[in-house]
Amino acid sequence: MTFEIIHKPTFTNQLLLIPKERVVQILEKIEVLRNEPKPHGNLKKKLHGYKGNVYRLRSGDYRIIYTYGDGWVTLLGVDARKDVYKGSKLVAETPEIDISNLPDLETILSPEIAPQPPIIQEKDQKTLLPVTIDEELLQSLRIPQECFVPLITCRTLDDLITVDVPEEIRNRLFDCITTPNFDRVLAQPSLVTGSTDDLLRFKQGNLLGFLLKLNPEQEKYVNWAIDAQGPTLLKGSPGTGKSTVALYRVKAIIEALKAAGIEKPKILFTTYTNALVAFSEQLLTSLLGDDIKYVEVKTADAIAFSLVRHESPKLLTTKQARKLLKQALSKAITSLPGNKLQRYAQQQILDRLNPDYLLEEINSIIEAREITTLEAYQATPRNGRKIPLNKTQRQAIWHLRSQFYQLLKQNNLVTWQQLRTHALQLLRQSPNPPLYDAVIIDEAQDLDPNGLRILIQLCRAPNRLFITADANQSIYGSSFRWRDIHSDLKFVGRTGILRINHRTTQEIDLAAHSYLNESVIDCEIGDREYINNGALPAVRAVNHAEDEAILLTRFCQHRDWICSLTESIPHGQTATREYRLGIGSCAILVPTAESGTKLAQQLNYQGLEAHYTDSRELDLHKQGVKILTLKAAKGLEFPIVAIAGFLTSSFPTIARGTPQDVKTEIYNRERRTLFVAMTRAMRALLIVVPAQKPGILLQNFDPQWWNLGVVSS
């Protein structure tokens, strides 16, 4: 039996440090594992002291650390450290630092004076980094030249944690100068090794990286129903890898199209946010190699805008929309159709519904669904809208729409929904539309119906549509039924569900789902499985902005101790060495740009480097804490997440006099927004809420799932 070889990032990081003349021998030993990984004599032995099954294979003075299972071998690490025996057992080496005095989460987040790190003797400080970081070491690890100066100044472990370099660079150094905890390495993403020749090419600098290894559940859906008669839908909770499967689906579709005789296929991959376009392009380049030339990565709105660009449309801003709607309301109320009783009923509904709700009705229900007549509007099911509207009430809204559209035309403005509809009409009328051989739509739940119709119209055949979606992460617009979008969107027998969460800990995911509760849209996903476990996420209440900044600073600066709570760590192992997280691993998600800007100023005043950024300017490699809005974080992930900024910004913003059923609909949508924000956290999550008059969405956290603490005064 031949075993498939896969590896973890720590293995290739450590391989970079092995002298060239020794690498060939190590690669030959790996081929031994391909044929038989079971322990045998002194050559292959099991390491004790780990939770997982971890083994070592000798290769001269070096040892290859690995694990194996049914048909596969995973390479975990390779180094020159000596084996350690205790009695008759071969045991794992342990770091030298004692964490018995590290504070726990309650102490870190308590309103008293922040805990101090344990005192390290001068002798220990000098030996904390076991090697001197010099140019020769950095060159062998392929560290970019611009990182040399800050890294060479590092003398202690804390220096390496706080130095301003990308996390990938920091991890590479940690892997090569400290002893990894291979239980932690086991939880890293698995990469496809291929042949040992690829490892040699990587060592020589001729191979940039390796592809992510899908687990069996994900792998199943890469080629699943690829030759079916209709489109395929893949669903799953946050962190289950829907987007990763979508990327691999691109590769599978290109191969299938080439096999069918299409030598130069044209593929469209759409993602919802601008922040994810560059990220997806990078992954696809690594996955496809030269075949990336067949793929375009864009947002749906970028495509819509490109179709009408020649007309130079002037898009309506939120501020302009509210101003024009107010004017439209004044005109509509004085010109309502019908008799006196009918006009009174129509005025009542316009007075009852707040302007934002009316805008959503016009944009997300009428325009987004391409409703062009009052009769069609009166007959249309309004899925996702909680407030029932009879025919007379809909007539009032239709009349308001007419007045609103007149004002838009007078001011030469269009809404995004109008732009999409117009782009769709041009596409349908075009004698030579820019068609794609296949279209992959990632995170489809937040696209408007007319936006989805554009993407469907661009696809040559419905069976080449692949869609991922999670209705419970819908934070824009309103719900819809797939069959109402297009007659081709029938997924009977072609709907897959991913259930294994690879991103967040079980505790964070369960807490987030307990919070979502009554706002759940899709109950079909059912039971979920988890790879990682950890501590309960925390909720803390504060009275003042200064208290909030102090609490967040404490949380981010002690991120290593917080992460040490995520599982039982043997005596003598530090969370710093476990997680190697710099300050750039932290993100703070806020309700508005204004609250994010203020919070960044307060954190910098506290001595914590923090930057507010929008999704277009987001740099995931930038040093410092990243602050972005709840909605801008969609599709991203961070090891450490805090959700804050509610002291200076009400959430959600609801006008006085808004009817309760309207409020309920808004609350449900924004509860999903917070759910999405919570599930961006991989290892640690803190929510900071106002102690005085918290909004309805910022209270009643279930203590079964959340670590609730005292108010910071």
Side-chain angles (χ1 to χ4, degrees):
M1 175 182 180
T2 300
F3 287 75
E4 179 188 11
I5 302 293
I6 57 181
H7 68 270
K8 303 292 186 179
T10 290
F11 173 81
T12 43
N13 285 342
Q14 293 187 328
L15 186 68
L16 290 173
L17 204 59
I18 305 297
K20 292 181 180 179
E21 63 272 13
R22 310 300 295 274
V23 170
V24 173
Q25 181 188 39
I26 288 171
L27 298 184
E28 289 175 352
K29 293 291 186 181
I30 290 173
E31 289 300 330
V32 171
L33 296 178
R34 191 187 298 276
N35 295 319
E36 180 52 78
K38 291 181 181 179
H40 179 72
N42 290 322
L43 182 64
K44 293 175 285 188
K45 284 195 171 184
K46 183 172 183 179
L47 284 175
H48 297 274
Y50 291 111
K51 292 179 181 178
N53 293 319
V54 178
Y55 305 86
R56 72 103 175 99
L57 168 66
R58 283 191 177 278
S59 177
D61 294 334
Y62 291 86
R63 61 180 185 178
I64 300 165
I65 311 301
Y66 69 97
T67 186
Y68 70 93
D70 186 15
W72 52 265
V73 173
T74 302
L75 306 175
L76 306 178
V78 54
D79 61 32
R81 296 177 181 87
K82 295 181 179 180
D83 298 325
V84 177
Y85 284 90
K86 289 186 178 179
S88 61
K89 289 186 176 181
L90 183 65
V91 300
E93 293 185 35
T94 58
E96 305 84 1
I97 301 171
D98 185 355
I99 64 164
S100 58
N101 293 321
L102 292 182
D104 59 17
L105 185 62
E106 290 291 343
T107 305
I108 292 167
L109 297 180
S110 66
E112 284 77 29
I113 298 175
Q116 299 300 312
I119 296 174
I120 301 173
Q121 300 300 320
E122 183 178 356
K123 172 173 71 74
D124 295 329
Q125 288 183 345
K126 292 179 181 178
T127 59
L128 196 53
L129 287 182
V131 300
T132 300
I133 298 178
D134 55 24
E135 286 194 13
E136 183 180 358
L137 173 66
L138 297 179
Q139 287 172 352
S140 67
L141 295 178
R142 287 195 226 138
I143 304 298
Q145 187 74 36
E146 60 268 22
C147 297
F148 277 26
V149 172
L151 286 172
I152 287 173
T153 62
C154 293
R155 294 290 180 269
T156 68
L157 193 63
D158 192 59
D159 291 340
L160 192 52
I161 284 292
T162 56
V163 68
D164 184 4
V165 296
E167 292 300 315
E168 178 186 358
I169 300 301
R170 193 189 326 274
N171 286 341
R172 192 177 304 170
L173 273 164
F174 264 105
D175 281 336
C176 294
I177 67 177
T178 66
T179 306
N181 179 343
F182 289 107
D183 277 328
R184 181 64 58 202
V185 174
L186 284 167
Q188 292 178 356
S190 295
L191 303 171
V192 178
T193 306
S195 71
T196 49
D197 289 341
D198 287 338
L199 291 174
L200 185 59
R201 289 172 58 212
F202 177 78
K203 168 66 178 175
Q204 294 172 339
N206 298 323
L207 183 67
L208 293 179
F210 296 87
L211 302 177
L212 187 68
K213 172 70 175 176
L214 300 179
N215 66 33
E217 181 190 52
Q218 295 168 331
E219 201 167 35
K220 167 185 174 182
Y221 293 110
V222 172
N223 289 285
W224 182 66
I226 202 166
D227 295 322
Q229 297 301 307
T232 305
L233 172 65
L234 183 62
K235 302 196 295 185
S237 295
T240 52
K242 298 184 298 298
S243 297
T244 302
V245 174
L247 294 170
Y248 270 82
R249 184 78 171 196
V250 175
K251 186 174 187 292
I253 288 175
I254 290 176
E255 292 171 352
L257 290 173
K258 285 185 174 181
I262 302 174
E263 295 182 1
K264 297 180 179 180
K266 187 179 179 183
I267 313 297
L268 174 63
F269 184 95
T270 70
T271 184
Y272 187 75
T273 65
N274 289 296
L276 291 175
V277 169
F279 182 63
S280 300
E281 283 178 334
Q282 291 172 12
L283 293 176
L284 282 168
T285 299
S286 176
L287 178 65
L288 301 176
D290 190 51
D291 281 352
I292 187 64
K293 63 189 176 187
Y294 302 128
V295 183
E296 292 181 28
V297 183
K298 295 180 178 180
T299 64
D301 279 343
I303 294 168
F305 193 84
S306 69
L307 293 169
V308 299
R309 188 186 301 274
H310 62 284
E311 299 180 13
S312 301
K314 188 177 178 182
L315 285 160
L316 182 74
T317 66
T318 301
K319 184 177 180 179
Q320 290 171 328
R322 288 170 176 163
K323 179 181 178 181
L324 292 184
L325 188 81
K326 185 177 180 180
Q327 296 175 18
L329 274 168
S330 298
K331 290 186 176 184
I333 288 173
T334 59
S335 58
L336 289 168
N339 58 40
K340 185 175 181 180
L341 185 60
Q342 290 172 331
R343 292 197 300 271
Y344 177 77
Q346 292 177 66
Q347 182 174 343
Q348 285 290 100
I349 194 64
L350 294 180
D351 289 339
R352 178 188 171 206
L353 299 177
N354 71 342
D356 285 344
Y357 191 92
L358 291 167
L359 276 172
E360 286 179 4
E361 186 74 15
I362 293 170
N363 291 331
S364 298
I365 299 297
I366 299 175
E367 187 63 50
R369 302 186 189 193
E370 294 186 274
I371 299 173
T372 57
T373 67
L374 171 59
E375 292 72 24
Y377 176 44
Q378 290 174 328
T380 297
R382 299 165 58 255
N383 301 88
R385 304 292 263 178
K386 301 295 182 182
I387 301 172
L389 296 174
N390 60 33
K391 287 188 175 182
T392 300
Q393 292 169 330
R394 295 193 193 198
Q395 184 178 30
I397 295 173
W398 188 263
H399 185 64
L400 172 64
R401 168 191 174 275
S402 300
Q403 299 295 329
F404 181 58
Y405 277 16
Q406 286 179 18
L407 290 171
L408 288 175
K409 188 174 182 180
Q410 290 171 15
N411 288 275
N412 194 29
L413 294 169
V414 295
T415 65
W416 265 110
Q417 288 78 10
Q418 285 179 306
L419 184 146
R420 294 172 193 136
T421 297
H422 183 47
L424 180 57
Q425 291 169 347
L426 292 176
L427 193 58
R428 287 169 175 159
Q429 297 166 4
S430 173
N432 187 29
L435 297 180
Y436 294 85
D437 295 302
V439 175
I440 290 85
I441 307 172
D442 194 26
E443 301 285 3
Q445 70 274 354
D446 279 320
L447 294 176
D448 275 334
N450 52 3
L452 273 171
R453 287 170 183 156
I454 289 173
L455 300 180
I456 295 167
Q457 195 74 24
L458 289 170
C459 190
R460 290 188 187 277
N463 65 319
R464 294 176 189 166
L465 274 170
F466 183 80
I467 298 174
T468 76
D470 176 12
N472 294 329
Q473 294 188 67
S474 177
I475 60 176
Y476 295 101
S478 59
S479 301
F480 51 77
R481 296 175 298 184
W482 295 111
R483 63 179 180 271
D484 293 335
I485 302 299
H486 198 282
S487 59
D488 287 337
L489 288 187
K490 297 175 182 178
F491 298 108
V492 177
R494 296 184 302 276
T495 299
I497 300 176
L498 295 174
R499 303 184 189 278
I500 302 175
N501 188 320
H502 300 267
R503 177 195 298 149
T504 61
T505 64
Q506 179 176 4
E507 288 73 13
I508 291 175
D509 188 70
L510 290 175
H513 276 87
S514 76
Y515 173 82
L516 185 63
N517 200 7
E518 68 268 17
S519 299
V520 169
I521 295 177
D522 188 353
C523 300
E524 187 179 347
I525 291 176
D527 295 336
R528 301 178 300 280
E529 301 176 30
Y530 303 92
I531 301 297
N532 302 298
N533 288 96
L536 293 179
V539 178
R540 294 294 184 270
V542 294
N543 284 296
H544 308 289
E546 184 181 0
D547 300 331
E548 180 178 51
I550 292 172
L551 180 66
L552 289 169
T553 300
R554 188 180 305 153
F555 178 74
C556 292
Q557 289 180 339
H558 290 81
R559 59 201 175 278
D560 307 308
W561 291 327
I562 293 167
C563 287
S564 72
L565 300 171
T566 60
E567 65 174 81
S568 175
I569 296 177
H571 180 77
Q573 295 184 12
T574 67
T576 298
R577 189 159 298 186
E578 290 290 296
Y579 285 86
R580 294 114 54 158
L581 296 176
I583 203 71
S585 64
C586 301
I588 300 176
L589 310 182
V590 295
T592 65
E594 182 182 7
S595 61
T597 302
K598 289 180 180 178
L599 190 55
Q601 294 172 348
Q602 292 162 348
L603 292 176
N604 280 288
Y605 180 77
Q606 293 293 331
L608 180 67
E609 183 180 359
H611 308 277
Y612 171 76
T613 181
D614 62 28
S615 62
R616 291 178 182 272
E617 300 172 348
L618 179 63
D619 180 1
L620 294 175
H621 298 297
K622 189 172 185 178
Q623 179 69 6
V625 175
K626 299 161 185 65
I627 303 178
L628 56 161
T629 63
L630 300 168
K631 288 181 169 63
K634 186 175 178 64
L636 303 175
E637 59 183 34
F638 303 92
I640 313 297
V641 170
I643 299 175
F646 301 105
L647 282 171
T648 58
S649 176
S650 59
F651 182 82
T653 301
I654 299 179
R656 286 187 178 183
T658 300
Q660 186 56 48
D661 44 8
V662 177
K663 288 182 180 179
T664 299
E665 188 169 328
I666 295 172
Y667 287 146
N668 285 339
R669 184 178 63 241
E670 298 308 335
R671 188 178 290 274
R672 291 193 295 274
T673 298
L674 278 173
F675 168 75
V676 170
M678 293 171 186
T679 54
R680 301 310 93 194
M682 300 168 67
R683 295 294 177 268
L685 172 64
L686 168 68
I687 299 180
V688 184
V689 301
Q692 306 297 325
K693 297 181 179 179
I696 191 171
L697 297 182
L698 301 174
Q699 49 186 309
N700 299 322
F701 292 89
D702 190 338
Q704 178 183 356
W705 309 109
W706 296 90
N707 178 333
L708 307 179
V710 297
V711 174
S712 178
S713 57

